[in-house]
Amino acid sequence: MGMFTGKKGLVFGIANDHSIAWAITQQLRDEGAEMAFTHLPDKDPERPRMERRLRKLVDDFDKFIMPCDVQNDDDLDAVFAKAKEEFGEIDFLLHSIAYAPMDDLKGPVHGVSRDGFKLSMEISCYSLISLCHRARDIMKPGGSILTLTYLGGEKVIPGYNVMGVCKAALESTTEYLAHELGTEGIRVNALSAGPLKTLSSSAVGEFDQMVKLYSAFSPLRRNVTPEEVGKAGAWLLSDMASGVVGETLHVDSGYHIMGAPPHDAKIGE
Ligand code: NAD
């Protein structure tokens, strides 16, 4: 019997097999979870690329798959109505979603457009609020909600720019939501992952440099693997973490604790 046997949940944010949500999903699946998934709506119904990519990964174990743009309330309502119909109640929800328009993401922060800022905040931060608001109605006490964040929300990471501002808001939002939903027995936490090559991270400037820095500066002197992030994510969503609330758990080889390079650091090699 697995840690998630008999547990049901919703996963938002698998774009492909590099997605962090997929790394976490694999662990949840191996532990017996029953899951439903969403993908970005396809613009051309004749060529449903998003849906096809997701189906290829989860086809043999999904409860249902639905399109969902987190900017669209009708999409969100439809997903939660379907979840209620299919699952009755849910035990967990994974929010692994972020977006900023390229022109705004590349910085500088002081040059970010008003619309770009609103859009980035809406998709990367407000979406957690809108998911939690709906999840409350169908989540069991003891349920767990997890979002994904990055160190750029706590410290200045050159290249992360407006997304760092969104992550700071997301981490604060996680704490406020954890406070509010805690009275209903629902835990909300964030996982701060070290850099992993994904569709989203490929848009972040200086990503390759960050990967090198983690290898040189982190206590483990290496980057984390998707599997390590997947395991920690599944743990936070599980009953094993039943006393962990409003936490931002760093899964980053310890990079976040360093205030200066270690003596043996060879930068850029
Ligand atoms: P990814 O591109 O695989 O996932 C991002 C997801 O966001 C995609 O599934 C995309 O469809 C979804 N998305 C974007 N706009 C959306 C919208 N309007 N409606 C619904 N979904 C939308 O990349 P990832 O790296 O797996 O990112 C997942 C999360 O992890 C993000 O919050 C990201 O900031 C965070 N994160 C990533 C890293 C990294 O190095 N890759 C590190 C720390 C945190």
Side-chain angles (χ1 to χ4, degrees):
M1 190 163 130
M3 248 187 336
F4 281 84
T5 303
K7 293 206 183 290
K8 299 159 186 172
L10 291 174
V11 174
F12 294 80
I14 301 181
N16 58 35
D17 60 346
H18 296 287
S19 294
I20 291 177
W22 172 236
I24 298 173
T25 290
Q26 287 173 281
Q27 300 295 327
L28 296 170
R29 178 202 58 195
D30 293 351
E31 292 294 332
E34 220 182 312
M35 286 171 279
F37 302 90
T38 68
H39 59 83
L40 265 180
D42 281 291
K43 290 198 180 90
D44 180 359
E46 299 293 310
R47 297 172 60 219
R49 281 190 313 129
M50 305 284 184
E51 182 182 342
R52 233 183 258 151
R53 264 196 238 143
L54 177 60
R55 281 201 186 282
K56 224 167 77 184
L57 296 172
V58 304
D59 221 12
D60 54 339
F61 65 90
D62 69 283
K63 184 75 175 175
F64 64 86
I65 290 175
M66 279 179 81
C68 180
D69 181 340
V70 292
Q71 290 187 273
N72 185 327
D73 283 334
D74 291 342
D75 281 7
L76 290 165
D77 290 340
V79 170
F80 282 87
K82 179 79 171 164
K84 190 172 183 173
E85 187 187 313
E86 295 285 337
F87 289 138
E89 292 182 304
I90 60 170
D91 301 278
F92 64 90
L93 184 151
L94 175 61
H95 169 273
S96 188
I97 288 173
Y99 177 78
M102 201 43 143
D103 281 351
D104 297 295
L105 183 60
K106 68 184 183 216
V109 172
H110 66 73
V112 167
S113 67
R114 191 183 297 271
D115 284 346
F117 184 81
K118 283 188 198 167
L119 183 62
S120 308
M121 276 288 186
E122 182 184 354
I123 296 178
S124 311
C125 178
Y126 178 74
S127 60
L128 178 66
I129 296 177
S130 60
L131 292 187
C132 285
H133 181 63
R134 287 169 175 82
R136 285 178 61 233
D137 292 336
I138 57 166
M139 189 167 266
K140 285 184 193 160
S144 180
I145 296 171
L146 180 66
T147 188
L148 267 297
T149 187
Y150 180 58
L151 186 61
E154 297 168 60
K155 304 281 179 195
V156 173
I157 305 279
Y160 206 56
N161 304 329
V162 70
M163 190 51 71
V165 180
C166 292
K167 292 304 191 192
L170 181 72
E171 289 172 24
S172 176
T173 300
T174 299
E175 293 180 356
Y176 276 89
L177 291 170
H179 163 67
E180 292 172 2
L181 273 59
T183 55
E184 296 164 30
I186 296 170
R187 299 182 295 109
V188 187
N189 289 293
L191 187 159
S192 184
L196 290 170
K197 244 192 173 19
T198 65
L199 208 57
S200 294
S201 67
S202 63
V204 173
E206 301 174 47
F207 176 83
D208 292 339
Q209 175 69 2
M210 286 315 295
V211 170
K212 283 183 194 157
L213 289 177
Y214 276 65
S215 298
F217 285 13
S218 70
L220 294 183
R221 303 291 195 278
R222 65 168 177 83
N223 280 274
V224 283
T225 65
E227 195 190 357
E228 286 171 323
V229 173
K231 285 193 289 194
W235 176 77
L236 277 170
L237 286 171
S238 81
D239 291 343
M240 298 280 280
S242 59
V244 183
V245 176
E247 184 68 24
T248 294
L249 177 71
H250 296 85
V251 184
D252 65 351
S253 304
Y255 182 87
H256 69 285
I257 67 170
M258 301 302 291
H263 293 312
D264 63 352
K266 296 186 181 70
I267 302 160
E269 286 179 11

